[in-house]
Amino acid sequence: MKSLWKEFIKYAVPSVIGIMVSALYIVVDGIFVGRGVGASALASINIALPVTTLMIAITMMITMGGAAVTSIKFGQNKYDEGNNIFLESLFLIVVITGILSVVGVFFPEGLAKMLGSSNELAKGTAEYLRYYLMFGLGFSGSLALSAFVRNDGNPKLAMIALIVGAITNIVLDYMFIFIFNYGIVGAAIASGLGQLSSVFLLLSHFFRNQGKLKLYIPQLKKSELIRILKAGTPEFIVQVSPAVSVFTFNQVIMRRIGEVGIASFSIIGYISVVLIALFIGISQGIQPLLSYNYGKENYKKVNKVFKMGVKTNFTASLIIYLIILVLGEKIISIFNSDKTLIKLTFDAMVIYAFSFIIASINIVNINYYQSTENPKIANIISASRGLVFTVVFVIILPLIIGDIGIWTSIILAEICTLIFSLYLIYIKKIEINKI
C-alpha cells in the first residue's frame, strides 16, 4: 500500500502543482486587471470566458481522451500504437483549436455580442478575445504537452514548464499593464507569451528522447480518432460546462444585479479557478495509474487508486471552505478595493464555495470512468452536472427565493449530480466494463 501511495504522490503532486500554478496565473491576470485597469475590464474578461473555456475544453477532451488510450496501450505493451494515438491527438488539437482561433481573431466583435456583452463592455471583450486567441495554439499546446509529458514518466518537467509559463506571465502582466499601460490587451498578450514559454520547455522532453513518446508524422486512422474523441468526451463536458454555466449566470446576474454583479461573479470565478484546479489536478494526476492498471487488468489496484483520489479531494475541499470562511474578504480585496464589491462578493462566495465539497467527489467520479474507458457513465454524470442541473437551478431558483438563488443553485446542482450518479451505478446498475 505504501508503494501505491508513492506512485499516487509521484503523479498527483506534480499534476496539482502544475495545474494550480496555471490557474494562479489566470488569477494574477485578474488581480492586475482589477487593480490596473478596473472592475469593468474584469467584467469584460468574464463575458469572454465561455469562448476561452470552449477552447480549453476542446483541448482537454482530446488530450485526456488520447492520454487515457495511450496509457492503456502502454499497459498492454503496445508502444507503437500508443505513440500513434499521442500524435493523432496532437493533430486533432492543432486543426480544431486552430480554426477556433482564426474565427476569434477575425470576428471578435461578433463573438462579444453573441456572448451577451453590453455596449459598455463590448469593446473590452472583443479586444481581449482577439489577442487571447492569437495565441490559441500556444494555450492548447501547453495543456496537451504537459499531460502527455507527465504520462510519459516526466511529471516534474510538466510541472516546471507550467511554473515557468506562470512566472513569465506574471512578469509580463506587470510590465504590459502597469509600465506600458496596454490595459486588457496587455493581459491577453502576457498570458499567450507565458503559454508559449511552457510549450518550448515541454518540447525538450521529445528532443532529448527522455521517454517512450516520439514526434513524427502519424498514421491517421478514423477508428482511432473516433476512439480518442469518445474517450475524451466526458472531459469536454467537464471543461465546457463552466462556459455554459458562466454564460447562464452572466445573463441572470446582468438582468437582476447589473454590471457590479458581473464584476463580483468574475472575482468568484477567478478564485474558483484555483480551487477547482486542485480537484482536477488530483484527478488528472491519478489518470495514468487508473488507465495503466486498467490496461494490465489489475482492477483491485484501479479501485484503490480511485478511493485515494476521493479521500484526498474531499479532505482538501473541507480545508478550502474553512479558509474561505476565515480569509474570504481579505482574498477578495486583492482584486479590488471597493467595499461594496467586496461585501457583495464575500456574501455570495460563502454560499457558492460550499459546492466545492460535493464537486470534489463528482470530479474524481467522472475521471475514474473516463480513465477506464467507461464513457457512458462519465458522459451522463458530466452532462448532468454542468449542462442540466446548474443551468436549470440558476434560472429557476432566483425566481423563487430571489438573488440568493443565484449562488445557491450551484450547491443543489452538485448534490443532485452526486445522488444521480449513485442512482445510475448502484440502482440502475449501468454496465461498467469489467470493474
Side-chain angles (χ1 to χ4, degrees), residues 10-11 14-15 146 149-160:
K10 176 186 174 182
Y11 285 97
S15 175
S146 64
V149 167
R150 181 193 71 226
N151 283 20
D152 200 26
N154 204 345
K156 287 184 180 179
L157 177 62
M159 177 186 70
I160 291 169

Side-chain angles (χ1 to χ4, degrees), residues 254-312:
M254 183 70 82
R255 188 169 61 249
R256 297 187 66 94
I257 305 175
E259 288 184 15
V260 66
I262 296 291
S264 175
F265 183 52
S266 177
I267 294 172
I268 292 173
Y270 277 117
I271 296 171
S272 298
V273 161
V274 177
L275 305 182
I276 293 295
L278 171 62
F279 308 139
I280 293 175
I282 292 169
S283 297
Q284 291 185 5
I286 64 175
Q287 178 270 313
L289 295 175
L290 291 172
S291 297
Y292 183 82
N293 286 293
Y294 179 76
K296 286 283 190 184
E297 299 187 1
N298 189 344
Y299 305 126
K300 186 177 180 180
K301 200 169 183 180
V302 168
N303 282 314
K304 283 182 179 178
V305 172
F306 165 69
K307 289 175 183 177
M308 287 178 179
V310 171
K311 290 176 183 176
T312 305

Side-chain angles (χ1 to χ4, degrees), residues 20-74:
M20 285 198 72
V21 167
S22 226
L24 274 171
Y25 82 66
I26 294 174
V27 172
V28 170
D29 263 353
I31 294 170
F32 283 145
V33 169
R35 290 282 180 175
V37 188
S40 62
L42 278 177
S44 290
I45 293 176
N46 197 60
I47 294 292
L49 192 62
V51 171
T52 58
T53 303
L54 176 63
M55 186 182 70
I56 293 171
I58 291 170
T59 300
M60 293 309 297
M61 169 182 69
I62 299 167
T63 298
M64 296 308 292
V69 178
T70 298
S71 294
I72 289 171
K73 291 289 186 183
F74 281 8

Side-chain angles (χ1 to χ4, degrees), residues 75-345:
Q76 297 168 341
N77 296 320
K78 297 177 180 178
Y79 297 108
D80 289 340
E81 291 182 24
N83 200 97
N84 197 64
I85 293 289
F86 155 64
L87 294 169
E88 287 176 305
S89 300
L90 293 186
F91 169 80
L92 284 171
I93 288 168
V94 170
V95 171
I96 298 175
T97 61
I99 292 171
L100 180 60
S101 296
V102 169
V103 172
V105 168
F106 288 101
F107 306 103
E109 293 85 2
L111 281 177
K113 289 295 183 184
M114 285 174 58
L115 293 169
S117 176
S118 65
N119 292 332
E120 292 79 11
L121 300 177
K123 185 175 183 291
T125 303
E127 284 183 339
Y128 187 78
L129 283 170
R130 171 176 278 125
Y131 288 94
Y132 184 96
L133 292 173
M134 276 185 185
F135 296 93
L137 289 176
F139 283 99
S140 297
S142 175
L143 289 169
L145 291 176
S146 64
F148 281 108
V149 167
R150 181 193 71 226
N151 283 20
D152 200 26
N154 204 345
K156 287 184 180 179
L157 177 62
M159 177 186 70
I160 291 169
L162 290 175
I163 292 173
V164 168
I167 293 172
T168 302
N169 178 60
I170 291 169
V171 172
L172 293 177
D173 254 336
Y174 179 79
M175 290 174 59
F176 291 164
I177 293 175
F178 290 100
I179 297 177
F180 299 126
N181 295 315
Y182 289 167
I184 199 170
V185 170
I189 294 174
S191 295
L193 292 175
Q195 292 286 2
L196 283 178
S197 68
S198 294
V199 170
F200 292 135
L201 191 54
L202 289 164
L203 286 173
S204 68
H205 173 81
F206 305 100
F207 296 146
R208 295 177 182 176
N209 294 316
Q210 293 180 325
K212 298 183 181 72
L213 294 175
K214 312 295 179 187
L215 292 176
Y216 52 82
I217 298 174
Q219 291 181 321
L220 300 179
K221 300 177 183 178
K222 183 179 178 181
S223 60
E224 290 182 347
L225 295 174
I226 292 172
R227 184 178 180 183
I228 291 167
L229 295 174
K230 185 178 178 182
T233 299
E235 184 69 21
F236 175 79
I237 298 171
V238 167
Q239 296 286 342
V240 83
S241 293
V244 176
S245 61
V246 165
F247 177 79
T248 309
F249 268 92
N250 282 343
Q251 304 310 305
V252 174
I253 293 170
M254 183 70 82
R255 188 169 61 249
R256 297 187 66 94
I257 305 175
E259 288 184 15
V260 66
I262 296 291
S264 175
F265 183 52
S266 177
I267 294 172
I268 292 173
Y270 277 117
I271 296 171
S272 298
V273 161
V274 177
L275 305 182
I276 293 295
L278 171 62
F279 308 139
I280 293 175
I282 292 169
S283 297
Q284 291 185 5
I286 64 175
Q287 178 270 313
L289 295 175
L290 291 172
S291 297
Y292 183 82
N293 286 293
Y294 179 76
K296 286 283 190 184
E297 299 187 1
N298 189 344
Y299 305 126
K300 186 177 180 180
K301 200 169 183 180
V302 168
N303 282 314
K304 283 182 179 178
V305 172
F306 165 69
K307 289 175 183 177
M308 287 178 179
V310 171
K311 290 176 183 176
T312 305
N313 259 7
F314 184 72
T315 302
S317 70
L318 294 176
I319 295 171
I320 284 168
Y321 190 66
L322 287 174
I323 291 172
I324 288 171
L325 290 177
V326 176
L327 301 174
E329 288 186 318
K330 290 183 179 179
I331 294 170
I332 292 164
S333 67
I334 295 172
F335 292 86
N336 201 276
S337 58
D338 185 284
K339 291 183 179 179
T340 302
L341 181 60
I342 291 172
K343 185 179 186 307
L344 174 64
T345 306

